[in-house]
Amino acid sequence: MTNKFKDIYPNYNLNILPKWIREDIDNVIVEGKTNKTLVASNGKKYNINNKLNDLSGAEWIYFTNSVLNTNYSTNGSDNCGYKYRKIHPSPKPPALMRDIISFFTKENEIVLDYFMGVGGSLLGASMCNRRAIGIDLNPIYIDAYNKASEDMGYISQKTYSGEALAILKSSKFKKELKEKVSLILIDPPYSNMMSKEKTGEDMKRKGKSITPFTDSNMDLGNMDYNNFLKNLKKIVSYSLKYLDDKRYVVVFIKDMQPSGKKLNLLHYDIINCLNEIPNLYYKGMKIWADQTAKLFPYGYPFSFVATQIHQYILIFRKEESKKSCELR
């Protein structure tokens, strides 16, 4: 005898279940001693205690692999408006952002990205039926996102043009955001890396001139390293007021090349910096290897210089503050 979901849970609110379960609800059976495991007709399993996402158990396990290899094409039908987004020095693949968003949120929840660039995270949110809010200093990047979104057939997500902390503190933002967000997903500028003159192989390929994201002194990409860390921490710390408890902050970071005895391990410094925020806790990382990255003869023929095709996806969790507990 099989335990049909509707027999075990006749009055269950189906709206809180994932779409793929709802659409198959007449065939879903219940397993386990506690009746918490739902099995769809295709064999996929879902635990009704899952408050984080809409994934099956197998999909959850797959995502937690610490190394992610991708080869997203910028050509053909899956280019995700790349012809508009390519004006940015490092646009993130929307399909990658979709997969991250799908793990850390449920359908129709809100994603906040206050370094949105050309909107890879916003497009990723649209691809998996989530809402998103984006902020960027450069209105040209926001315009590129809007064109890409239209090109993909989506209604553009909400965007703001301006300095991240100023927007987050503005009365307009506070008034328009009427609920907590479920994920903060950011790819911040990495100090003044883009504002430095190119040398070696980079100079051959791109010229010697600097290529900053903007000319604003409020841009993290124009700050020296110490001020970059200080201001990143300040922005992330403030933004937590908009993030629901027990939800996540995900940060993309790429290390710079070592220089003499200076290690330039940005991911290590940022982990330590953000982990100092009282109610934010580092939970681990994924290493993203972008197999579309081109290899160049850095250091040839004199010394070893790694071509970095990987970035770090740093994962932090906001824990419930003592103050919010006392208010309940």
Side-chain angles (χ1 to χ4, degrees):
M1 177 179 177
T2 58
N3 297 319
K4 290 282 190 177
F5 177 85
K6 287 189 172 181
D7 294 334
I8 303 297
Y9 296 105
N11 301 314
Y12 199 87
N13 180 7
L14 300 182
N15 291 326
I16 65 175
L17 295 173
K19 184 178 179 181
W20 59 275
I21 288 286
R22 297 197 307 268
E23 292 178 342
D24 192 37
I25 199 65
D26 289 334
N27 304 307
V28 172
I29 62 173
V30 180
E31 287 185 348
K33 293 180 180 180
T34 59
N35 291 330
K36 300 298 183 183
T37 300
L38 311 186
V39 185
S41 58
N42 60 7
K44 291 173 61 175
K45 297 183 178 182
Y46 178 79
N47 191 298
I48 60 176
N49 286 332
N50 182 353
K51 307 300 183 184
L52 180 61
N53 58 45
D54 293 332
L55 302 183
S56 69
E59 290 167 333
W60 181 299
I61 292 171
Y62 178 80
F63 183 86
T64 58
N65 187 333
S66 63
V67 178
L68 176 64
N69 279 283
T70 69
N71 197 346
Y72 298 113
S73 173
T74 55
N75 300 309
S77 59
D78 61 346
N79 72 88
C80 299
Y82 184 72
K83 62 184 177 183
Y84 303 112
R85 297 186 300 109
K86 67 181 180 180
I87 65 170
H88 194 277
S90 56
K92 291 296 177 289
L96 171 63
M97 308 307 263
R98 173 201 63 201
D99 292 346
I100 293 171
I101 291 167
S102 294
F103 185 86
F104 289 106
T105 64
K106 286 182 171 288
E107 189 175 15
N108 205 41
E109 290 185 334
I110 302 176
V111 180
L112 172 61
D113 181 357
Y114 37 82
F115 300 114
M116 64 167 278
V118 287
S121 58
L122 276 65
L123 293 172
S126 294
M127 293 168 74
C128 59
N129 197 26
R130 270 68 166 173
R131 292 173 288 162
I133 300 168
I135 301 171
D136 201 88
L137 263 173
N138 194 338
I140 295 174
Y141 289 160
I142 295 178
D143 183 59
Y145 155 70
N146 287 324
K147 290 177 180 177
S149 184
E150 181 180 5
D151 192 58
M152 294 176 69
Y154 295 124
I155 297 173
S156 290
Q157 305 272 9
K158 181 69 176 177
T159 59
Y160 297 84
S161 178
E163 190 272 324
L165 190 57
I167 295 292
L168 293 173
K169 288 184 174 182
S170 70
S171 57
K172 180 182 179 181
F173 185 87
K174 294 175 181 178
K175 182 178 179 180
E176 292 181 345
L177 183 61
K178 301 181 185 303
E179 59 188 286
K180 295 280 191 177
V181 305
S182 297
L183 172 66
I184 293 174
L185 175 58
I186 56 174
D187 178 23
Y190 312 150
S191 181
N192 55 5
M193 179 165 56
M194 300 299 293
S195 300
K196 295 179 179 179
E197 288 188 353
K198 307 298 184 295
T199 58
E201 190 64 31
D202 279 335
M203 185 173 66
K204 294 178 186 177
R205 294 189 295 112
K206 304 175 184 177
K208 192 176 182 180
S209 61
I210 60 176
T211 54
F213 294 103
T214 71
D215 58 4
S216 171
N217 60 5
M218 301 300 292
D219 190 338
L220 268 64
N222 292 330
M223 296 180 183
D224 63 62
Y225 194 56
N226 288 334
N227 277 319
F228 157 70
L229 290 175
K230 177 182 176 181
N231 281 277
L232 177 64
K233 180 180 178 182
K234 185 185 300 183
I235 295 168
V236 172
S237 181
Y238 188 86
S239 70
L240 293 184
K241 69 182 294 180
Y242 297 114
L243 182 67
D244 222 346
D245 287 324
K246 299 184 179 179
R247 303 311 286 261
Y248 291 83
V249 177
V250 176
V251 185
F252 276 80
I253 285 295
K254 184 176 183 179
D255 288 343
M256 292 187 285
Q257 294 287 358
S259 176
K261 287 290 186 178
K262 189 176 180 180
L263 301 180
N264 287 331
L265 298 177
L266 272 68
H267 78 279
Y268 175 80
D269 290 341
I270 287 174
I271 289 170
N272 281 306
C273 176
L274 298 187
N275 206 47
E276 292 175 353
I277 299 172
N279 56 336
L280 191 65
Y281 293 81
Y282 174 64
K283 293 297 182 180
M285 71 171 67
K286 288 175 69 71
I287 298 173
W288 169 44
D290 179 9
Q291 298 299 336
T292 65
K294 295 181 180 179
L295 299 179
F296 295 97
Y298 294 116
Y300 179 83
F302 303 106
S303 62
F304 170 79
V305 178
T307 299
Q308 296 188 55
I309 68 166
H310 71 282
Q311 295 186 34
Y312 298 93
I313 303 173
L314 309 179
I315 299 163
F316 301 82
R317 189 182 194 219
K318 178 186 175 183
E319 303 293 353
E320 192 172 33
S321 65
K322 292 181 180 179
K323 183 176 181 180
S324 64
C325 288
E326 291 168 357
L327 292 175
R328 292 183 177 179

